[in-house]
Amino acid sequence: MKIGLDFDDVITEFTDSLMKFYHKKYGKKVIKDQIKQWNWGLYWGISREEATRRVDEFHETHKVEDILPLDKAIDSINELMERHDVLIITGKPVRFKHRVEEWLQHYLGKKLEVIHAGEWHKGQAATKAEICKELGVKVLLEDSGETALDCANSGIKVLLFDKPWNKQFKHKNIQRVKNWEEAIKDINEIH
């Protein structure tokens, strides 16, 4: 089975790392549980454009070790790769592809195909639903409720990692998971 994995907040602890960076550099503390929608400027008290610039600054300057994997993510991905065709589908801008690959090499020790859906924060992207359909991805592991709903409406099964920003999203093709253990269990049931 072909499985797509989002990168930030599905494989990595991206939001926690970004918030630590932001607090240290700009003095504004926001915790993950406060984030109810994807609009950093709303929480930081700045424009969307400035928020995008600061997120890009984080992408450009962080060390691999600054972003930890989610609990059991690495072992789970290794397990999936033994039985399935696994690829990364991220909304991270393509200019940061080397950062994603560097992270994967550091923590996973293997290369995975990385597909960039485009610059989502600028509205310049193929949708993950379009990418999944084109590539024959049967299951997508995701944290964005909007993306999950788009994929679910396209007939793609989504395992939605439960986050404060995706609580309101429901669909018959969306299965909510709390962690990687639940994700692996659900993938095994789907397969």
Side-chain angles (χ1 to χ4, degrees), residues 73-83 107-110:
I74 301 305
D75 290 341
S76 298
I77 293 167
N78 278 320
E79 181 181 331
L80 288 175
M81 289 172 63
E82 289 175 11
R83 294 175 296 172
Y107 284 103
L108 198 58
K110 297 179 180 144

Side-chain angles (χ1 to χ4, degrees), residues 81-176:
M81 289 172 63
E82 289 175 11
R83 294 175 296 172
H84 303 283
D85 185 6
V86 178
L87 56 115
I88 308 293
I89 306 173
T90 179
K92 196 181 296 288
V94 72
R95 70 183 179 279
F96 299 123
K97 182 175 185 169
H98 69 286
R99 302 306 307 262
V100 174
E101 291 172 341
E102 177 185 33
W103 191 96
L104 290 166
Q105 187 63 41
H106 178 81
Y107 284 103
L108 198 58
K110 297 179 180 144
K111 281 204 165 222
L112 275 173
E113 183 177 3
V114 177
I115 297 168
H116 290 264
E119 304 221 19
W120 62 270
H121 56 271
K122 293 182 181 175
Q124 302 168 351
T127 69
K128 287 188 184 181
E130 292 167 341
I131 292 168
C132 287
K133 288 284 241 193
E134 181 181 325
L135 298 177
V137 171
K138 300 296 181 204
V139 179
L140 177 69
L141 282 68
E142 180 63 59
D143 72 301
S144 164
E146 292 87 355
T147 299
L149 192 57
D150 187 38
C151 289
N153 284 330
S154 295
I156 297 156
K157 182 74 174 164
V158 180
L159 299 182
L160 184 63
F161 275 70
D162 195 34
K163 304 290 181 183
W165 51 85
N166 67 28
K167 298 290 187 196
Q168 70 274 27
F169 294 92
K170 294 176 177 34
H171 189 283
K172 65 179 180 164
N173 287 332
I174 295 175
Q175 175 83 26
R176 195 169 285 278

